Amino acid sequence: MNSRQTIQEIIAKKKKGERIVMLTAYDYPLAKIIDQCGIDIILVGDSLANVVLGLKSTREVGMEVMLHHTKAVNRGVEHALLVGDMPYEAYQIKPEFAVKNAKRFVEEAGCNAVKLEWFDRCLDVAQDIIRAGIPVMGHVGLTPQNAERLGGMKLQGKDASSAQKIIDNAQALEKVGCFSIVLECIPDKIAEIITRKLKIPTIGIGAGPACDGQVLVTHDLLGLFDWYQPKFAKQYVKLNEIIGKAVTQFREEVRHKDFPSAQYTFTIKPQEFKKFKINK
Ligand code: KIV
């Protein structure tokens, strides 16, 4: 825990021109693997709802489930900054509970910061959480918790006025003290303008190469979730195929009585076994 990246180190990377690398994790083994690869920030994203729980909307995941997974991730993270994604119910239904819920991510689940998606009372909520001493990462552009209102899981900021709103929102989040901002699914040139205007780092997902860092949903990167694949979700490996092969091989070995072979079997010494038979 003590050797985790700090907020100051993350911000300093922008000044030094070093790219920030962020990934999601939802459980202990993947968190440990990702952390040991030297990833800067691990986000327990509410994308958990889609890629782990098979739910349609991220709104369907609540505080208890997010905390349950975040605690598991926390046990696997030594070096990365750990960010908890505040679920919709934690701050958008009753913003007055936002600080209490943000504190639960830090005190119960070991997070170093929380992330909030933009909504109409986002600035007040972010400010309250920051004043309570908890660092906040903002999130503008496509904000899946309000995807329905944004016309679905689509590119945002396509026209000048909506692009301007995204730029204004990002600047306002910086002003209230956010330490970084996720830019999701916006045109590259708009992301570039935001990145230039802000002193805090921008972390893009579907926002082009000019951002100060990049984030992907780990299950997309690993090819574990290919039922819905946005254009920006680069698949670095097809783990679904590799897992499918292994499971099929196991099925066949069991059916053909090839598994377990001697290598995977425990034995008892013959003299002991003899006694056992005699006693019987
Ligand atoms: O929930 C999530 O995984 C996210 C990332 C896409 C940034 O918010």
Side-chain angles (χ1 to χ4, degrees):
M1 177 95 181
N2 287 341
S3 67
R4 283 187 183 172
Q5 297 245 10
T6 64
I7 300 288
Q8 292 68 29
E9 283 166 344
I10 296 293
I11 295 172
K13 281 182 186 286
K14 176 166 182 143
K15 288 201 193 102
K16 291 191 244 166
E18 284 174 20
R19 287 288 196 249
I20 297 161
V21 191
M22 172 161 134
L23 277 176
T24 63
Y26 316 96
D27 59 29
Y28 174 77
L30 271 180
K32 210 169 167 66
I33 294 169
I34 291 168
D35 189 58
Q36 285 172 356
C37 291
I39 297 302
D40 300 306
I41 305 177
I42 294 182
L43 170 74
V44 187
D46 66 352
S47 50
L48 164 78
N50 313 116
V51 302
V52 173
L53 303 178
L55 298 167
K56 287 237 149 45
S57 161
T58 54
R59 278 200 188 191
E60 292 178 66
V61 81
M63 270 304 284
E64 299 311 320
V65 173
M66 284 301 296
L67 287 175
H68 174 77
H69 283 263
T70 307
K71 286 177 194 175
V73 170
N74 180 48
R75 289 179 205 117
V77 176
E78 270 181 65
H79 308 297
L81 185 91
L82 180 60
V83 181
D85 208 4
M86 295 270 277
Y88 178 79
E89 74 163 22
Y91 65 110
Q92 294 205 32
I93 297 175
K94 288 197 171 151
E96 59 273 28
F97 290 132
V99 173
K100 181 172 154 263
N101 286 325
K103 280 187 177 164
R104 291 192 69 193
F105 272 97
V106 175
E107 289 164 12
E108 292 176 37
C111 286
N112 308 105
V114 296
K115 178 170 83 60
L116 301 177
E117 292 186 10
W118 180 265
F119 76 115
D120 52 3
R121 293 189 56 192
C122 191
L123 293 176
D124 292 335
V125 168
Q127 196 165 45
D128 289 345
I129 297 173
I130 293 163
R131 279 188 181 147
I134 299 170
V136 172
M137 175 183 275
H139 183 158
V140 300
L142 175 59
T143 44
Q145 292 171 357
N146 283 301
E148 248 175 57
R149 200 168 42 74
L150 300 173
M153 296 292 280
K154 291 190 180 137
L155 181 70
Q156 303 296 307
K158 280 187 289 189
D159 57 73
S161 75
S162 63
Q164 188 57 54
K165 266 194 203 131
I166 295 171
I167 297 170
D168 293 345
N169 294 347
Q171 286 189 294
L173 284 167
E174 174 173 63
K175 213 165 162 198
V176 298
C178 286
F179 76 94
S180 65
I181 302 191
V182 168
L183 307 179
E184 179 164 351
C185 218
I186 61 172
D188 54 355
K189 287 201 163 65
I190 306 306
E192 193 179 340
I193 293 172
I194 297 172
T195 302
R196 221 179 324 111
K197 281 181 181 275
L198 300 190
K199 287 198 176 64
I200 57 171
T202 58
I203 301 176
I205 175 161
C211 301
D212 299 303
Q214 296 291 328
V215 54
L216 279 180
V217 167
T218 296
H219 284 49
D220 290 337
L221 176 155
L222 297 178
L224 279 172
F225 187 82
D226 60 0
W227 300 270
Y228 165 72
Q229 251 188 303
K231 175 183 160 83
F232 56 75
K234 179 171 177 184
Q235 222 176 57
Y236 285 78
V237 63
K238 290 185 184 298
L239 273 196
N240 56 349
E241 289 180 7
I242 294 170
I243 292 170
K245 258 195 190 159
V247 171
T248 307
Q249 191 179 343
F250 173 67
R251 183 195 71 199
E252 288 310 296
E253 288 187 9
V254 171
R255 287 187 182 157
H256 291 99
K257 301 177 184 166
D258 293 329
F259 181 86
S261 59
Q263 188 189 351
Y264 302 100
T265 303
F266 298 104
T267 56
I268 184 168
K269 285 188 185 130
Q271 63 270 30
E272 289 303 315
F273 191 55
K274 214 165 147 191
K275 278 190 227 162
F276 169 76
K277 271 215 223 145
I278 290 162
N279 290 343
K280 256 181 112 185

